Amino acid sequence: MKVLIVGGGGREHAIAVSMKKSSRVEKLYCVPGNAGIAQIAECEPSIGVMEFDKIVAYAKEKAVDLVFVAPDDPLVGGLVDALEAAGLRAFGPRQNAAILEGSKAFSKDLMKKYNIPTAAYETFDDPEAALAYLETAEMPIVLKADGLALGKGVLICNTLEEAKAGVKEIMLDKHFGSAGNRMVVEEFMTGREVSVLSFVDGKTIKTMTSAQDHKRAKDGDQGLNTGGMGTFSPSPFYTDEVDEFCKKYIYQATVDAMAAEGREFKGIIFFGLMLTPKGPRVLEYNARFGDPETQVVLCRMKNDIIDVIDACIDGTLEQVDLQFEDNAAVCVVLASDGYPESYEKGYVISGLEKFEDAEGYYCFHAGTKATEAGVVTNGGRVLGITAKGQDLKAARANAYAATEWVSFENKYTRHDIGKAIDEA
Ligand code: AMP
Ligand code: GLY
């Protein structure tokens, strides 16, 4: 079959590599794609992920059998609905279900209504009311812009002054655009964070192996929030006991809640969990694969990804036995120095060929571009160097060793991805 992937980052490259392994896939397409994806798929860099009409037309022109919509913006904007309306088979939640990620107020209300464990919260449309509430609230406190904000619309405020400044930033100065028309104010929780991705067919949910992201730009979790600087999988903190609790109170409950609301969810649900002293709590939901969680999860999946996707679309996921390798993987992001603020682009990347025959090593492209001079840097996050190992420590050593195989001007990486493993 022919498959079109919508997106163009490291996550999409990992999805493409996983699909390439499927005996059922004869040809892959990707919009817009990147230089890495272009090695295994026909890319159309001129089509953006929000150009729905162009994507529909491209999918029809190439007569694809399946469209995989990976990023949050087109999912929340209704690309799956547009594809289906045009008679195409698409994987991902429809717009009425992608709201699980698209509105934090929606997801918090859902959790409250269906008793799914999460931090206590209030929602505000009016900055004055938010300010009045904060006067009596306990600090630290967490402010979240309601809508999509590239994972950056969350402010953790230690003092009332910071919280007041945060309300101004989100609701008045509209630092995160219209995502800040509404704001959720949330209780501050402590604990380790774990990401659990899952396949969902509307009724059944099957979780994948756990992972952990490193969101801050600098070592020791310092610096600004980013899209993610590295991941490891599985998380040693995601114990059987935690899994049992989440199965009982979070995973199926979320799928059932969406169905009960008339918002049947088919696709990927990403549970951002915090393991608090009082037990696991939902930090956030995403309606898609995580980036760079996907890079360390899919490379360990034993199933044919197309079979699992088909089962999600057809409502037969219950029959799928989802299996992961009994090993570990670590992804270290190579970024352009200065990310997530300002950085330079256009530097030639050398050493990429070293990954070609290296079993268990992957060089997932994020911000790259093919030019006549070779592959050049084209974004803040450039590559996700990923390696497997028999355990987490071996995978980490392998991934860091492989970060040395490639070089480019202004290459930046965190040095402590997976350091938490040593405390497990
Ligand atoms: P989110 O986009 O909602 O996952 O938030 C981004 C990051 O902010 C999370 O990964 C956490 O590190 C942190 N965070 C979000 N909500 C809370 C909370 N209620 N308490 C403590 N930290 C939080
Ligand atoms: N790595 C976090 C995310 O994809 O939102």
Side-chain angles (χ1 to χ4, degrees), residues 9-11 72 101 149-153 193 195 212-218 222-231 270 284 286 288-295 331-333 335 338-341 343 366 379-383 412 414 417:
R11 164 184 55 205
D72 49 0
E101 171 165 8
L150 293 170
K152 294 176 189 126
E193 288 183 39
S195 304
Q212 186 180 321
D213 192 8
H214 298 66
K215 286 229 161 130
R216 301 293 197 98
K218 304 220 162 102
Q222 303 295 308
L224 294 170
N225 251 322
T226 70
M229 295 299 290
T231 40
F270 167 137
E284 64 160 347
N286 294 319
R288 54 173 172 83
F289 270 110
D291 190 348
E293 283 86 349
T294 308
Q295 287 85 320
C331 170
V332 179
V333 169
Y339 172 74
E341 292 186 291
Y343 51 84
R381 291 190 292 176
V382 178
L383 300 168
Y412 173 83
R414 266 182 70 161
I417 301 302

Side-chain angles (χ1 to χ4, degrees), residues 253-277:
T254 301
V255 176
D256 293 346
M258 290 299 281
E261 293 293 309
R263 297 173 182 275
E264 181 185 66
F265 194 105
K266 287 187 177 197
I268 306 293
I269 300 183
F270 167 137
F271 296 85
L273 303 170
M274 188 172 262
L275 309 181
T276 78

